[in-house]
């Protein structure tokens, strides 16, 4: 009997018990998407030639023209504070979005859309988000997970011909209802139910579903004209055990009998439209099912496959925008604002934060751009997209937090002059939606990565499920060789596969070695804990985080090659070392918490020779901060998507920074003269160019000032009147009322509310 069969026979029973059972929804999630460079990292064998083969991001002339014209014009229209106060976009912005087809970026030109690449789509969203998050969310939702992408991939020809042109030009505004009050992160458990029926509809007997549903947190729901809906399809005419047909996706026009768009939600009181959708006994004809009757029950697979792309675009774009804006604001304000006779940006406590922000931005944006390049080559990286979602939204929140610390009192005073306050309030939204980060780290990045990215686990699971002893034995033998190689590389060093840029060869060696240590650790954890690891989320989240930091570090190597920007070499080196240092810390925490008596010995062996992972020294951080202050070109390269908004806080800072660059080193003397004279005019009079100097001092003063508002009335004695007459007290408005202008944003329906019968 062959050795492989003997091994498989011996292992079949214990492996059948150890491997977690896979339900249909889990299987669909695991099988969704493709595996790219993250699979090489999980295997402990990153090939830097394969990394470089992905090639640079490229925009077509048409895409670049759209960014230079339509996107720039839109950003000039966006007043962050005014939109936030109005809790809605201005009518002219809604109109511009429709007319310029911002809602149809992913729809091909043949259907009237823009037909943009993934990278162009991501760039548009990022640039808008640097000036106003609400507008970016409004644009990204129709272009992300929703009806358009589902129709493009699975819709019937009649559905595509009917809806896609209307979605492209804004005659239809879509939303997608997935989340229910009792099924949030566990979206596969939605209780919404549709039963197969036949009833008269539009004058004829029609087969379809009678659906009850309750959805919440649905972005664009208050203004949507077509609702994408996920529900469990049931056929009660079938025998027991065959009645559940599976999750199904449908398109329902607004209005439709039985369906109600609820009152607005206000996520962190943001201006973008969000709200609940309810339905009682809503009839959904079969030709409203996306893809027709043949796609009944395939909704979960459809959603998982689409999410592999959408999760890599929209929310990472918001996170990157927050980072870019926060870096620009922190670096710029640090040069303009002085305390103790010195720009606050020169204080080491501030300089260190700004340097860390810049290094982290280099890494996260490298990963975002690399993944967009993979998407544009036809990949559907489900694990990598989850990494991006977690890492960029968290990095965006950290960057805004750091920026708020640097701004001090300026940052916490609300008003048109505030630079980061709205972003600070909205940062938790991206953390929460499309799979909360607290679960995504464990259940998707590692849970899915352990099966999809590992070179042998999927083969082992398939062999166990098929009861194939020989196949299991062969997979286990290959797995054993894999573990032995990674053990050797962990202890004695890993080879560098391919040719990374010569300037980053030391960092590439570190990535290769840490990748081997990670691969070995993942195998040890899975081997010792088996199926229990799935429930030990603190451990699996750490394993997911290490893979994420390796992915970001590797993307830095790719970015440095394709950028051709040697002036960014210190930032690339710093970014890689920060990511690897974080990965090393997490591995040490992991071994300290493994529930096995041998964890200390194993951890000591695996983590030996990791002193090279020391974090950046203070002197290196200060050097990075100096480069940012002295070379505006570097800031432009690190924050290329920062856009110019309507007049107000951010635009005021941009103007002051432009004048500062023209003045050069004379700003220090100007500020010194201002402290001495306490007069803008007198301080500027002694400068070589008094007119330019006065313009700068006025612009800088405008940046430093904050907004004030009318307070309580005062009596004749000058004291605040804390007990005004009762008649002057207006009754409180009912909570959560829809904005009165919402109906103006819902396009008038000039088409039949029904897809033609197929």
């Amino acid at each position: 009997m062959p050795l492989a069969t003997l091994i498989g026979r011996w292992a079949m029973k214990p492996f059948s018990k150890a491997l977690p059972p896979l339900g249909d929804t889990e299987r669909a999630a695991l099988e969704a998407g493709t595996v790219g460079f993250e699979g090489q990292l999980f295997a402990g064998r990153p090939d830097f030639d394969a990394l470089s083969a992905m090639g640079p991001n490229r925009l077509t002339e048409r895409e670049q023209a759209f960014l230079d014209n339509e996107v720039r014009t839109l950003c000039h229209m966006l007043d962050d504070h005014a939109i936030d106060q109005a809790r809605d976009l201005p009518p002219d912005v809604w109109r511009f979005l429709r007319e310029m087809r911002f809602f149809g970026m992913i729809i091909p030109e043949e259907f009237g859309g823009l037909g943009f690449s993934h990278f162009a789509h991501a760039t548009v969203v990022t640039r808008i988000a640097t000036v106003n998050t609400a507008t970016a969310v409004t644009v990204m939702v129709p272009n992300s997970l929703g009806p358009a992408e589902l129709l493009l991939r699975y819709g019937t020809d009649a559905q595509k011909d009917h809806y896609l042109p209307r979605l492209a030009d804004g005659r239809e505004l879509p939303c997608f209802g997935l989340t229910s009050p009792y099924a949030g992160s566990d979206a596969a458990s939605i209780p919404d139910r549709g039963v197969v029926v036949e009833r008269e509809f539009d004058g004829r007997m029609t087969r379809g579903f009678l659906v009850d549903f309750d959805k919440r947190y649905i972005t664009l729901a208050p203004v949507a004209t077509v609702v994408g809906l996920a529900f469990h399809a049931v056929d009660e005419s079938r025998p027991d055990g065959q009645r559940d047909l599976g999750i199904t996706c449908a398109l329902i026009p607004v209005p439709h009998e039985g369906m109600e768009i609820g009152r607005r939600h206000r996520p962190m009181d943001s201006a973008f439209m969000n709200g609940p959708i309810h339905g009682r006994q809503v009839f959904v004809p079969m030709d409203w099912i996306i893809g027709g009757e043949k796609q009944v029950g395939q909704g979960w697979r459809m959603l998982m496959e689409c999410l592999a792309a959408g999760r890599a675009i929209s929310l990472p774009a918001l996170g990157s925008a927050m980072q870019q804006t926060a870096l620009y604001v922190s670096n710029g304000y640090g040069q303009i604002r002085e305390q103790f006779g010195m720009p606050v940006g020169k204080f080491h406590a501030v300089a260190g934060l700004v340097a860390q922000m810049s290094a982290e931005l280099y890494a996260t944006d490298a990963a975002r751009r690399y993944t967009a390049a993979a998407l544009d080559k036809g990949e559907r990286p489900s694990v990598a997209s989850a990494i991006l979602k977690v890492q960029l939204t968290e990095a965006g929140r950290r960057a805004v937090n750091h920026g708020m610390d640097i701004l001090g009192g300026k940052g916490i005073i609300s008003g048109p002059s505030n630079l980061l306050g709205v972003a600070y309030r909205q940062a938790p939204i991206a953390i929460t939606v499309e799979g909360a980060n607290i679960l995504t780290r464990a259940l998707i990045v590692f849970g899915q990565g352990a099966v999809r990215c590992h070179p042998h686990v999927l083969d082992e699971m398939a062999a166990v499920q098929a009861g194939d002893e020989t196949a299991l034995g062969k997979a286990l033998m290959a797995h054993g060789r894999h573990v032995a190689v990674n053990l050797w590389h962990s202890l004695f060093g890993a080879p560098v596969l391919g040719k990374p840029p010569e300037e980053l060869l030391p960092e590439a060696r570190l990535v290769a070695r840490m990748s081997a240590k990670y691969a070995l650790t993942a195998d040890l954890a899975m081997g010792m804990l088996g199926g229990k690891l799935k429930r030990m989320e603190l451990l699996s989240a750490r394993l997911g985080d290490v893979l994420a930091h390796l992915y970001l570090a590797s993307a830095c190597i790719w970015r440095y090659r394709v950028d051709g920007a040697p002036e960014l070499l210190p930032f690339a080196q710093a970014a890689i070392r920060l990511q690897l240092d974080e990965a090393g810390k997490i591995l040490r925490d992991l071994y300290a918490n493994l529930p096995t008596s041998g964890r200390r010995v194993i951890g000591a062996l695996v983590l030996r020779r990791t002193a090279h992972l020391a974090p950046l020294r203070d002197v290196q951080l200060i050097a990075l901060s100096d480069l940012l202050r002295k070379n505006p070109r570097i800031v432009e390269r690190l924050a290329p998507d920062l856009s110019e908004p309507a007049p107000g806080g951010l635009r005021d800072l941009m103007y002051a920074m432009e004048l500062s660059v023209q003045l050069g080193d004379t700003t220090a003397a100007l500020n010194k003269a201002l402290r001495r004279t306490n007069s803008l005019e007198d301080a500027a009079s002694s400068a070589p160019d008094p007119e330019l100097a006065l313009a700068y001092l006025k612009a800088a003063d405008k940046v430093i000032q904050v907004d004030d508002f009318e307070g309580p009335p005062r009596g004749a004695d000058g004291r605040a009147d804390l007990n005004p007459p009762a008649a002057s007290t207006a009754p409180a408005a009912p909570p959560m009322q829809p904005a009165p202008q919402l109906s103006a944003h819902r396009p008038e329906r000039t088409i039949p509310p029904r897809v033609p019968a197929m």
Side-chain angles (χ1 to χ4, degrees):
M1 183 180 293
L3 179 60
T5 304
L6 284 172
I7 294 174
R9 180 168 298 176
W10 168 81
M12 183 63 71
K13 187 174 181 179
F15 266 65
S16 298
K17 292 181 179 179
L19 291 175
L22 283 181
D24 290 340
T25 55
E26 287 180 301
R27 184 177 304 280
L30 286 173
E31 293 175 354
T34 58
V35 177
F37 191 75
E38 64 276 14
Q40 297 184 24
L41 292 169
F42 206 105
R45 293 179 61 80
D47 184 340
F48 295 101
D49 283 348
L51 185 74
S52 300
M54 191 55 68
N57 307 115
R58 299 194 187 280
L59 296 168
T60 66
E61 289 184 9
R62 194 167 58 87
E63 291 167 344
Q64 187 63 60
F66 189 83
L67 288 166
D68 293 340
N69 296 290
E70 284 85 349
V71 174
R72 180 175 295 172
T73 299
L74 173 64
C75 290
H76 286 173
M77 298 167 68
L78 301 178
D79 184 326
D80 196 36
H81 176 73
I83 290 172
D84 191 60
Q85 291 295 296
R87 295 170 175 161
D88 193 8
L89 310 185
D92 61 332
V93 171
W94 280 104
R95 184 166 52 251
F96 188 79
L97 294 176
R98 285 198 187 92
E99 292 175 352
M100 298 299 109
R101 304 192 177 229
F102 277 84
F103 299 134
M105 284 190 287
I106 68 169
I107 297 175
E109 291 182 81
E110 65 190 90
F111 293 108
L114 297 176
F116 281 178
S117 66
H118 292 285
F119 178 61
H121 168 201
T123 305
V124 170
V125 174
T126 306
R127 292 196 179 182
I128 298 171
T130 61
V131 298
N132 182 250
T133 301
T135 307
V137 171
T138 302
V139 168
M140 81 186 195
V141 168
N143 291 288
S144 186
L145 175 63
E149 187 171 8
L150 290 168
L151 284 169
L152 283 169
R153 297 196 62 183
Y154 310 106
T156 65
D157 289 341
Q159 289 170 340
K160 292 177 183 178
D161 292 340
H162 180 84
Y163 273 116
L164 290 178
R166 292 164 172 80
L167 290 169
D169 63 20
R171 281 177 287 168
E172 301 279 12
L173 280 176
C175 68
F176 194 87
L178 176 61
T179 303
S180 297
Y182 292 95
S185 297
D186 185 13
S189 297
I190 52 175
D192 313 291
R193 191 169 181 266
V195 179
V196 175
V197 297
E198 189 169 333
R199 61 165 49 192
E200 185 175 336
F201 185 74
D202 278 0
R204 62 184 175 88
M205 294 304 295
T206 303
R207 180 175 161 83
F209 293 94
L210 208 56
V211 188
D212 290 326
F213 59 89
D214 190 10
K215 304 292 187 181
R216 67 177 181 181
Y217 308 151
I218 311 304
T219 301
L220 293 190
V223 293
T225 65
V226 59
V227 172
L229 182 73
F231 63 92
H232 275 285
V234 177
D235 187 348
E236 294 182 339
S237 67
R238 296 190 177 195
D240 290 344
Q242 301 178 23
R243 294 182 176 181
D244 187 356
L245 305 180
I247 292 177
T248 299
C249 295
L251 292 177
I252 306 176
V254 178
H256 184 57
E257 185 179 356
M259 183 170 69
E260 175 194 359
I261 306 294
R263 300 198 299 177
R264 278 183 72 178
H265 296 315
R266 288 190 182 143
M268 299 306 293
D269 210 23
S270 300
F272 66 86
M273 295 297 165
N274 187 281
I277 307 172
H278 314 289
R280 294 294 177 266
Q281 298 294 285
V282 177
F283 181 66
V284 179
M286 279 293 177
D287 58 7
W288 290 4
I289 302 301
I290 297 178
E293 189 164 357
K294 67 179 182 179
Q295 291 290 355
V296 169
Q298 300 301 309
W300 189 249
R301 175 182 59 83
M302 294 159 60
L303 292 170
M304 290 300 99
E305 290 175 353
C306 288
L307 194 60
R311 190 184 266 139
I313 298 295
S314 298
L315 294 174
L318 297 187
S320 177
M322 286 185 181
Q323 287 182 272
Q324 293 185 48
T325 304
L327 176 64
Y328 182 86
V329 166
S330 300
N331 183 65
Y333 190 76
Q335 295 179 57
I336 289 174
R337 176 66 163 161
E338 286 199 356
Q339 291 289 278
F340 305 102
M342 185 169 70
V344 297
K346 288 188 175 182
F347 287 91
H348 285 191
V350 173
L353 284 181
V354 174
Q356 286 181 324
M357 291 164 65
S358 67
E360 187 165 29
L361 173 57
Y362 187 96
T364 55
D365 225 37
R368 185 177 70 93
R369 289 170 48 190
Y370 173 80
T371 309
L375 287 167
D376 284 328
K377 282 204 169 184
E379 298 291 329
R380 312 288 292 184
S382 55
V383 174
S385 66
I387 288 173
L388 286 193
K389 192 274 178 181
V390 171
Q391 294 298 319
L392 271 87
T393 56
E394 294 288 357
R397 176 161 64 177
R398 282 192 296 271
V400 172
N401 283 346
H402 290 330
M404 291 290 284
D405 289 346
I406 291 168
L407 291 173
K410 166 79 175 177
I412 61 173
I413 303 301
S414 180
S417 301
N418 193 287
L419 296 168
L420 292 176
V422 176
Y424 178 78
R425 197 180 72 236
Q426 294 175 340
I429 300 173
I431 303 291
T432 299
V433 299
E434 285 191 24
N437 288 359
I438 197 170
L439 292 180
T440 299
R441 292 166 56 222
L443 298 184
I444 300 180
V445 177
F446 182 74
Q448 191 169 343
V451 178
R452 289 304 308 279
C453 296
H454 196 286
H456 306 294
V457 166
L458 194 59
D459 293 338
E460 292 163 355
M461 294 177 70
V464 168
Q465 187 166 11
D468 190 334
E469 296 173 348
T470 302
L472 178 59
K474 289 180 178 179
L476 288 174
M477 291 170 67
H479 197 153
R481 290 191 293 270
H482 169 74
V483 172
V485 168
N486 282 323
L487 175 60
W488 179 267
H489 290 165
S490 295
L491 297 179
F492 303 108
V496 175
L497 304 179
K499 294 183 178 180
E502 189 66 29
E503 302 93 327
L504 294 178
L505 182 58
E507 284 75 20
R509 290 196 182 101
L510 300 181
V511 171
R513 184 182 298 178
M514 180 56 75
S515 177
K517 294 178 184 295
Y518 171 70
L520 178 63
T521 301
D523 272 314
L524 291 174
M526 289 188 288
M528 289 187 292
L529 301 173
K532 292 190 296 183
L533 183 58
K534 181 179 178 180
R535 298 186 299 274
M536 303 177 74
E537 293 167 358
L538 295 176
L539 294 179
S540 56
R542 290 187 179 99
L543 288 165
D545 288 344
V546 177
L547 178 62
H549 290 300
L550 283 169
Y551 187 76
L552 267 62
S554 302
C556 294
I557 297 174
W558 170 84
R559 177 180 178 177
Y560 183 75
R561 183 188 290 278
V562 301
D563 267 0
E567 68 271 20
L568 294 184
L569 177 60
F571 296 90
Q573 293 169 326
I576 295 169
R577 290 182 175 270
L578 282 175
Q579 295 299 321
L580 293 180
D581 175 59
E582 193 63 31
K585 291 176 182 176
I586 296 169
L587 276 184
R588 286 190 283 275
D589 287 344
L590 174 71
Y591 279 107
N593 287 280
L594 278 176
T596 172
S597 58
R599 66 180 184 272
R600 296 185 185 278
V601 175
I602 297 171
L605 283 173
V606 174
L607 296 176
R608 66 189 292 267
R609 300 176 66 185
T610 56
H612 55 277
L613 296 177
L616 291 178
R617 305 300 182 194
D618 291 350
V619 65
Q620 294 169 303
L621 291 172
I622 300 306
L624 291 180
S625 179
D626 287 344
L627 288 173
L628 290 167
R629 282 200 318 276
K630 296 175 181 177
N631 190 344
R633 174 65 176 160
I634 288 178
V635 179
E636 292 175 11
R637 295 300 298 262
L638 291 173
D641 299 309
L642 188 71
S643 300
E644 185 177 294
L650 182 58
R651 192 159 167 179
D652 292 342
L653 176 61
M654 290 177 170
Y655 179 57
M657 291 302 297
E658 290 172 4
L659 296 175
S660 173
V661 170
Q662 295 179 45
L663 283 169
D665 294 336
T666 60
T667 55
L670 275 177
N671 288 327
K672 185 176 181 180
L674 180 61
R675 289 193 301 274
R676 185 180 65 252
T677 63
N678 199 29
S679 166
L680 301 179
E681 290 74 11
D682 291 345
S685 63
S686 59
D689 187 340
E691 186 176 349
L692 177 62
L694 182 59
Y696 166 75
L697 288 174
K698 287 182 176 180
D701 180 72
K702 192 173 183 181
V703 170
I704 292 169
Q705 298 303 324
V706 298
D707 303 292
D708 52 39
F709 302 90
E710 184 177 353
R714 293 185 175 274
D717 59 357
R719 297 190 177 193
D721 186 357
L722 301 181
N723 296 290
S728 66
T729 304
M736 303 299 288
Q737 289 295 324
Q741 65 269 43
L742 290 187
S743 60
H745 305 324
R746 195 189 302 275
E748 292 185 10
R749 299 192 62 87
T750 59
I751 55 175
R754 184 171 189 269
V755 177
M758 285 156 263

